[in-house]
Amino acid sequence: MVAGWLSRPHVAEWWDTHAPDAVEEEFGPCVDGTDPTRVFVCRLDGTPVGLVQMYRLDDNPDYARAIGLAQAAGMDLFVSDPERCGHGLGPDIILATLELIWAAYPEVTCAMAGPSVRNGRSIRAFEKSGFTAVGPVAVPDEVDEEMVLVRARPTGRTGPTAA
Ligand SMILES: CC(C)(COP(=O)(O)OP(=O)(O)OC[C@H]1O[C@@H](n2cnc3c(N)ncnc32)[C@H](O)[C@@H]1OP(=O)(O)O)[C@@H](O)C(=O)NCCC(=O)NCCS
């Protein structure tokens, strides 16, 4: 299912994981627990409608150095059906993922995302979700610069109440 989603043009334009083998390579270790990145299929009333992954930048030091953030967690997402895009589902997924980030990573003080500077729709979805764009950053091995967007942990939200 995820391999099919990744081959859809509206997703493939922004995600570089395409062939079925690459899907196993990219997400298999996350599912097996050998890569600390956490990946989720998002469901709406039981129907799978997208994918989101979240990760601590401290687990990805090269990326953290390029972005210039510490004690932060990043997220990437897509909405699987093009006809579901533009109706607020992306911000719903972003806000739900933020709650997971605050709960799963108690030391993290801010959440971030780094969509391509060309991906105006994604940048707007994060801004609608309370993120602030802090500027474009060049990341090694990425063709486009990334627009770094950040959102601070809400005051008083210090960590998980349940595992
Ligand atoms: C990016 C994505 C997650 C956003 O989710 P969504 O549900 O479509 O988001 P929204 O419903 O908030 O709609 C996007 C907003 O961007 C605006 N927008 C659309 N195209 C835009 C553009 N080129 N430039 C600026 N804003 C744009 C829309 O008008 C809307 O804002 P509004 O509600 O103020 O009118 C989703 O569109 C998606 O999965 N796209 C394909 C894959 C992708 O780009 N993933 C992100 C990789 S980081």
Side-chain angles (χ1 to χ4, degrees):
M1 180 183 71
V2 171
W5 287 350
L6 288 162
S7 67
R8 294 179 179 173
H10 77 291
V11 178
E13 184 178 2
W14 304 112
W15 282 66
D16 56 8
T17 309
H18 301 307
D21 286 353
V23 171
E24 170 59 31
E25 193 180 326
E26 176 89 5
F27 299 119
C30 307
V31 174
D32 295 341
T34 54
D35 181 326
T37 297
R38 300 188 187 186
V39 58
F40 303 94
V41 167
C42 311
R43 293 176 188 274
L44 184 66
D45 299 329
T47 303
V49 292
L51 178 140
V52 64
Q53 61 181 15
M54 64 188 212
Y55 50 91
R56 297 187 314 166
L57 266 67
D58 289 352
D59 291 327
N60 300 270
D62 292 344
Y63 184 64
R65 222 173 351 263
I67 298 294
L69 288 173
Q71 290 189 303
M75 75 168 87
D76 309 299
L77 77 155
F78 63 78
V79 171
S80 54
D81 293 329
E83 58 271 24
R84 287 192 190 271
C85 292
H87 301 288
L89 182 57
D92 283 349
I93 295 171
I94 291 167
L95 292 173
T97 307
L98 269 178
E99 293 302 318
L100 294 176
I101 284 175
W102 305 143
Y105 308 133
E107 80 287 4
V108 157
T109 57
C110 98
M112 63 78 57
S116 159
V117 291
R118 293 187 298 111
N119 195 344
R121 183 163 65 178
S122 181
I123 293 168
R124 174 81 185 122
F126 278 101
E127 287 178 334
K128 284 169 58 182
S129 308
F131 285 66
T132 302
V134 294
V137 169
V139 175
D141 302 326
E142 294 289 338
V143 177
D144 291 340
E145 288 187 322
E146 292 189 2
M147 179 57 72
V148 176
L149 297 118
V150 297
R151 180 171 165 171
R153 180 190 286 270
T155 311
R157 302 289 296 280
T158 53
T161 53

